[in-house]
């Protein structure tokens, strides 16, 4: 296996350098999906086991309990859900959300407390997770450890590589249930859905005007602040948006 190969979880942003670590992550964090994969044969229990000595190899491998075929009672979906919820014994006292592991609960609680215990010694920026700090530090070191096997482009984090790979595969996994349009990123889908719902969650505190995305609000606020951060290197004229600067540059290059 190539050292640069990345195995990414389709249910959350985590990525791993080996498939066994991804499988263990699914078993630990996505129990229902793990059971489904076991039953479909996409994951075999023996692939999750560490190397065993010869006198241990005769032990029965991990199996998923199945219902008796002689039973005529159909499975109760609600009871199955209750069984799954029983495994999430660590509950947040702030919002009631529950987790399978205490470490996940502690990480979640930082969204309430604002605690960011991991600090970058280069710039002072702080993070809630050590992994986020390590990924951030790639900005300072220039390290880009995630490589695309298709074109060789490299990235500072696994999520960016996964997103980039969709430009090669054409994968658009996020679908609008209203019109069927599909997107490469969940954020793009959420933004699109506002065209159906009419939601405009970003509000200008100066005049009350609202927008569907934060970037549009930021651009609008410059009409109040007078900020013009984009400068022409030819004549020094400044603009509120990159689009305005690009249009202006055509006056120097004579491009249409």
């Amino acid at each position: 296996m190539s050292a640069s190969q990345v195995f990414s979880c389709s249910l959350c942003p985590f990525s791993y350098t080996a498939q066994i670590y991804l499988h263990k992550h699914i078993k630990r964090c996505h129990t229902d999906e793990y059971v489904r994969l076991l039953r479909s044969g996409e994951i075999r229990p023996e692939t999750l086991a560490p190397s065993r000595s010869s006198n241990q190899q005769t032990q029965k491998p991990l199996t998923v309990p199945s219902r008796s075929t002689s039973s005529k009672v159909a499975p109760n979906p609600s009871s199955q859900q209750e069984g799954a919820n029983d495994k999430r014994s660590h509950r947040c006292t702030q919002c009631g959300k529950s987790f399978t592991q205490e470490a996940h609960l502690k990480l979640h609680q930082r969204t309430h407390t604002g605690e960011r215990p991991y600090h970058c010694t280069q710039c002072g920026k702080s993070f809630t997770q050590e992994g986020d700090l390590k990924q951030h530090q790639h900005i300072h070191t220039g390290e880009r450890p995630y490589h695309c096997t298709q074109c060789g482009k490299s990235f500072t984090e696994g999520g960016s590589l996964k997103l980039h790979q969709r430009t090669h595969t054409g994968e658009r996994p996020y679908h609008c249930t209203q019109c069927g349009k599909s997107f490469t990123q969940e954020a793009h889908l959420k933004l699109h859905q506002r065209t159906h719902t009419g939601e405009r969650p970003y509000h200008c505190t100066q005049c009350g005007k609202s927008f569907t995305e934060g970037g549009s609000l930021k651009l609008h606020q410059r009409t109040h602040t007078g900020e013009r951060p984009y400068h022409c290197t030819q004549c020094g004229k400044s603009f509120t948006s990159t689009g305005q600067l690009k249009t202006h540059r055509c006056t120097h290059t004579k491009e249409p």
Side-chain angles (χ1 to χ4, degrees):
M1 181 180 66
S2 170
S4 62
Q5 191 169 2
V6 175
F7 297 89
S8 301
C9 179
S10 61
L11 302 175
C12 69
F14 286 96
S15 299
Y16 299 86
T17 56
Q19 193 174 47
I20 185 174
Y21 299 141
L22 172 61
H23 288 177
K24 287 182 177 180
H25 160 76
I26 295 172
K27 180 182 178 182
R28 184 176 64 251
C29 302
H30 309 296
T31 307
D32 292 343
E33 177 67 1
Y34 171 68
V35 172
R36 185 191 71 77
L37 292 171
L38 273 178
R39 288 175 174 167
S40 67
E42 294 177 62
I43 287 182
R44 297 192 307 276
E46 58 266 30
T47 64
L48 298 176
S51 300
R52 302 176 181 180
S53 60
S54 57
N55 64 340
Q56 291 177 311
Q57 289 177 349
T58 57
Q59 292 180 359
K60 188 177 180 180
L62 172 67
T63 57
V64 178
S66 58
R67 296 179 180 270
S68 171
T69 54
S70 62
S71 173
K72 296 182 180 180
V73 180
N76 186 334
S78 62
S79 65
Q80 286 181 324
Q81 185 62 44
E82 288 171 4
N85 290 339
D86 289 342
K87 298 175 183 177
R88 305 173 76 87
S89 57
H90 303 282
R91 189 174 297 276
C92 176
T93 56
Q94 295 277 83
C95 65
K97 195 170 183 180
S98 57
F99 301 86
T100 56
Q101 296 185 33
E102 186 179 7
H104 295 169
L105 170 60
K106 286 182 177 179
L107 185 61
H108 161 78
Q109 286 173 326
R110 289 173 184 158
T111 64
H112 299 300
T113 63
E115 182 189 11
R116 301 170 77 88
Y118 301 99
H119 305 279
C120 176
T121 56
Q122 296 277 83
C123 66
K125 197 170 182 181
S126 57
F127 302 86
T128 57
Q129 300 183 56
E130 186 178 14
D132 291 341
L133 169 60
K134 287 181 178 178
Q135 295 224 342
H136 161 78
Q137 287 172 327
H138 294 157
I139 296 172
H140 300 300
T141 63
E143 183 185 7
R144 302 171 75 88
Y146 301 96
H147 305 279
C148 176
T149 55
Q150 295 277 84
C151 66
K153 195 171 182 180
S154 57
F155 302 86
T156 57
E157 53 185 277
S160 298
L161 170 61
K162 186 176 181 180
L163 188 61
H164 162 78
Q165 287 172 326
R166 289 174 184 157
T167 63
H168 298 299
T169 63
E171 182 190 11
R172 301 171 75 88
Y174 301 100
H175 305 280
C176 176
T177 56
Q178 296 278 82
C179 66
K181 196 170 182 180
S182 57
F183 302 86
T184 57
Q185 298 183 51
E186 186 178 15
H188 293 171
L189 169 61
K190 287 181 177 179
L191 185 61
H192 161 78
Q193 286 173 326
R194 289 172 186 156
T195 63
H196 299 299
T197 63
E199 182 189 11
R200 301 171 76 88
Y202 300 96
H203 305 279
C204 176
T205 56
Q206 296 277 82
C207 66
K209 196 171 182 179
S210 57
F211 302 87
T212 57
E213 55 183 301
S216 298
L217 170 60
K218 189 174 182 179
L219 186 61
H220 162 78
Q221 286 173 325
R222 289 173 185 156
T223 63
H224 298 299
T225 63
E227 182 189 11
R228 303 170 74 88
Y230 303 101
H231 306 280
C232 176
T233 56
Q234 296 277 86
C235 66
K237 197 171 182 180
S238 58
F239 302 88
T240 57
S241 69
T242 54
Q244 291 175 349
L245 173 59
K246 188 175 181 180
T247 300
H248 164 77
R249 281 175 177 163
C250 294
T251 63
H252 296 300
T253 61
K254 305 298 182 184
E255 291 180 3

